[in-house]
Amino acid sequence: MKLVKTVAELREEIAAAKTAGKTIGLVPTMGALHEGHASLIKAANMENDFVVVSVFVNPTQFGPNEDLEAYPRTLDADCKLAEAMGADIVFAPSAKEMYPSEDMTWVEVTGNVTKVLCGRSRPIHFRGVTTVVSKLFNLAQPDRAYFGQKDAQQVEVLKRMVKDLFFNLQLRVMPIVREADGLAKSSRNTYLSGSEHQAALVLSRSLKKAQERFAAGERNAAALTEAVREEIAAEPMSNIDYVEIYRLPELQPVNGPLTGSSLLAVAVKFGTTRLIDNVILEEK
Ligand code: PAF
């Protein structure tokens, strides 16, 4: 496996892979790789001939008071894990390499899909994500790109971008990977103290109950969200940002009973760490 830090080197590697007729799988990450990322790299390795994992803590998707500086940076360990999962290239550029000009070209998805949920408390976040992911798509020219369902809103935003900008690739979405105790794997879990980790288990516990109530026939969105909200609020260390349900695809408001496929999503702070989690509610 090769560690590549410049756009020029990456372009050379991609050109060689394309000339050799290889299909390309791209796994965009911000590093601090965990088993969730490992599942994406593994899938990319199974479905493509050549796998690129990008490791880039993207400054443009962090708001002014967010954790850009504190975000864990573990490139050596990331390279080891990426190699073990079958990556051919780790692309770890500097911010200057990805954003060479002071003036910016933005890629921005508009509408409900970027306004609700995390878009409300993180207004510039998705514009940063779509801009950097567009750059990575243009550089790696993947046949398939891999993202985790834990970032459910990001997935919906990227699906819209791929469709609207005619990116010629398949967006592959892999299931949430959880700790044995239910906590969704996240690079930010390393910020949690032991007691905050314990408290955060309320997220997966309450979402699972909502899923069970849905399976038993509950179709009232307010009843489901209120039960989740009450259970999370009863945990003294929690500070709720949102507990909401939207219709899939593209996060449209729910009017009337739940039909088709819906996303029940939560964002909650434990201490200074903001965690997200979700379940999809759909009839079998
Ligand atoms: O999901 C992430 O880790 C990031 O938002 C992504 C897609 C790598 C873009 O920086």
Side-chain angles (χ1 to χ4, degrees):
M1 194 209 67
K2 228 177 183 173
L3 172 62
V4 159
K5 294 200 169 178
T6 67
V7 163
E9 282 173 282
L10 180 62
R11 282 198 196 278
E12 267 178 40
E13 295 290 338
I14 297 297
K18 292 259 177 204
T19 305
K22 293 182 177 173
T23 55
I24 296 174
L26 171 68
V27 185
T29 82
M30 297 209 300
L33 301 186
H34 50 67
E35 285 157 54
H37 298 111
S39 76
L40 305 182
I41 304 169
K42 225 189 230 173
N45 190 33
M46 279 170 62
E47 296 176 353
N48 303 275
D49 305 317
F50 192 78
V51 175
V52 179
V53 177
S54 63
V55 172
F56 179 59
V57 183
N58 174 35
T60 63
Q61 68 189 74
F62 288 79
N65 298 315
E66 295 183 6
D67 58 341
L68 172 61
E69 300 307 325
Y71 200 86
R73 286 155 171 92
T74 59
L75 186 58
D76 288 347
D78 293 345
C79 287
K80 285 196 183 98
L81 186 138
E83 182 164 27
M85 293 301 119
D88 295 281
I89 298 280
V90 166
F91 175 52
S94 65
K96 189 81 193 143
E97 192 71 17
M98 287 304 275
Y99 296 103
S101 0
E102 295 270 303
D103 293 327
M104 286 286 307
T105 299
W106 294 109
V107 175
E108 185 166 16
V109 170
T110 61
N112 222 46
V113 73
T114 50
K115 283 204 184 78
V116 299
L117 301 175
C118 292
R120 217 176 297 117
S121 51
R122 307 186 74 191
I124 62 158
H125 174 69
F126 290 112
R127 183 185 70 169
V129 170
T130 43
T131 299
V132 81
V133 171
S134 298
K135 286 171 182 259
L136 292 168
F137 284 176
N138 284 329
L139 289 173
Q141 298 173 50
D143 297 275
R144 296 174 195 84
Y146 295 78
F147 298 90
Q149 178 59 32
K150 187 177 79 70
D151 299 310
Q153 185 172 15
Q154 171 170 281
V155 164
E156 292 307 306
V157 172
L158 291 174
K159 280 182 184 165
R160 254 287 297 286
M161 181 188 85
V162 164
K163 186 168 161 235
D164 288 355
L165 298 186
F166 309 113
F167 277 112
N168 191 17
L169 56 86
Q170 206 187 330
L171 215 137
R172 302 277 290 127
V173 183
M174 297 294 136
I176 298 177
V177 178
R178 297 182 181 279
E179 309 270 1
D181 59 18
L183 187 67
K185 296 263 184 191
S186 162
S187 304
R188 290 189 168 98
N189 289 353
T190 56
Y191 300 154
L192 296 169
S193 68
S195 54
E196 286 166 349
H197 182 125
Q198 276 309 111
L201 300 184
V202 71
L203 303 185
S204 54
R205 204 165 54 230
S206 58
L207 288 171
K208 189 159 175 255
K209 279 187 203 157
Q211 212 167 23
E212 285 162 4
R213 278 184 69 183
F214 180 86
E218 179 62 84
R219 293 293 179 271
N220 183 324
L224 290 167
T225 50
E226 271 324 295
V228 173
R229 179 181 292 280
E230 266 175 32
E231 187 166 355
I232 296 175
E235 168 48 62
M237 293 180 105
S238 73
N239 183 2
I240 296 175
D241 178 354
Y242 61 73
V243 176
E244 285 170 21
I245 296 186
Y246 288 94
R247 275 196 296 120
L248 288 168
E250 296 212 3
L251 309 181
Q252 296 306 310
V254 172
N255 300 312
L258 294 173
T259 53
S261 181
S262 313
L263 178 76
L264 168 53
V266 300
V268 180
K269 267 188 162 181
F270 296 87
T272 54
T273 308
R274 184 176 177 279
L275 299 179
I276 56 173
D277 201 347
N278 68 81
V279 286
I280 290 179
L281 305 174
E282 67 190 341
E283 279 157 35
K284 293 270 179 268

